[in-house]
Amino acid sequence: MLVVGLTGGIGSGKSTVAGLLAGRGARVLDADAVAREVVAPGSPTHAEVVRRFGRSVTADDGTLDRGALAALVFADDQAREDLNHIVHPAVRDGILRRLAAAEVADPHGVVVLDIPLLAEVGPDRYPLEGVIVVDLPIDVAVERLRADRDFTEADARARVAAQATREERRAIGDVVIDNSGDLAHLRTEVDRAWAWIQTLDGPPD
């Protein structure tokens, strides 16, 4: 099985790229989905998050209020570090379990591991044959966040600033996809990335 990392900053269009790669035959493993699962009510990670941040970050049904939690951690570097320290190990364990299951299901397939914070946690934490980075200018990302998610400009820029820099993400990329244009341009970029994936050998059997 061949595992390729996919990352990009908030507003980069990484999810669109993941969908296009899935359309070309890749199996996409979404780290955000794993993160939501590991912080479900009743889990040890959920309990630890609530202990650290209090009941104000939970909704009426006991699930984490992602908006309230985001508002806290994006305004406080220490809070964000604490949250990552709690959540990242559980997410990594969940991802590795899913990769093992994918290996059994399709040992010759391509898995795209979609991890927004790959630059922050380090690509060496996962068995990757390479990394694709979705990139665009910060001003373009901000405008898309304002248009698509109804962010204020200040909030959008704060979210961008809280993540790794463009340079840090690009530094870990074997292929950098430019998503500053239209969908037709993006499809061409994804075709180029898919062609690169086909050149990879993957780990030995």
Side-chain angles (χ1 to χ4, degrees), residues 175-193:
V175 172
V176 177
I177 287 179
D178 169 38
N179 191 21
S180 61
D182 59 14
L183 184 58
H185 172 74
L186 182 59
R187 290 183 185 277
T188 300
E189 289 286 279
V190 171
D191 284 339
R192 179 171 61 86

Side-chain angles (χ1 to χ4, degrees), residues 4-29:
V4 175
L6 173 67
T7 195
I10 186 170
S12 66
K14 177 179 55 60
S15 296
T16 301
V17 171
L20 291 170
L21 289 169
R24 285 156 175 76
R27 178 173 183 170
V28 176
L29 202 168

Side-chain angles (χ1 to χ4, degrees), residues 9 24 26 44 56 67 72 91 116 120 136 138 140 142 145 149 157 164 172 200 202:
R24 285 156 175 76
S56 65
L72 282 176
V91 172
E120 288 86 342
L136 76 175
I138 290 173
V140 177
V142 168
L145 288 170
R149 304 195 199 179
R157 290 192 181 278
I172 68 169
L200 302 175

Side-chain angles (χ1 to χ4, degrees), residues 2-8 14 18 21 26-32 34 91-92 94-96 98-99 110-116 118 123 125-128 130-132:
L2 183 66
V3 185
V4 175
L6 173 67
T7 195
K14 177 179 55 60
L21 289 169
R27 178 173 183 170
V28 176
L29 202 168
D30 182 358
D32 274 348
V34 177
V91 172
R92 181 177 183 272
I95 286 172
L96 293 178
R98 284 159 178 76
L99 286 175
V110 173
V111 173
V112 170
L113 186 50
D114 179 351
I115 304 183
L118 187 59
R125 290 174 61 84
Y126 297 97
L128 305 177
V131 175
I132 298 169

Side-chain angles (χ1 to χ4, degrees), residues 74-86:
F74 281 111
D76 183 334
D77 290 344
Q78 184 60 56
R80 186 165 62 253
E81 183 177 332
D82 290 348
L83 180 64
N84 290 340
H85 181 73
I86 294 168

Side-chain angles (χ1 to χ4, degrees), residues 25-112:
R27 178 173 183 170
V28 176
L29 202 168
D30 182 358
D32 274 348
V34 177
R36 286 190 292 272
E37 182 177 307
V38 301
V39 297
S43 70
T45 307
H46 178 276
E48 195 170 350
V49 170
V50 174
R51 276 197 299 271
R52 167 60 179 84
F53 295 100
R55 290 288 175 185
S56 65
V57 300
T58 60
D60 291 341
D61 62 358
T63 60
L64 291 183
D65 183 334
R66 293 168 67 87
L69 189 56
L72 282 176
V73 302
F74 281 111
D76 183 334
D77 290 344
Q78 184 60 56
R80 186 165 62 253
E81 183 177 332
D82 290 348
L83 180 64
N84 290 340
H85 181 73
I86 294 168
V87 174
H88 282 172
V91 172
R92 181 177 183 272
D93 288 347
I95 286 172
L96 293 178
R97 286 195 300 271
R98 284 159 178 76
L99 286 175
E103 174 78 35
V104 171
D106 186 4
H108 303 293
V110 173
V111 173
V112 170

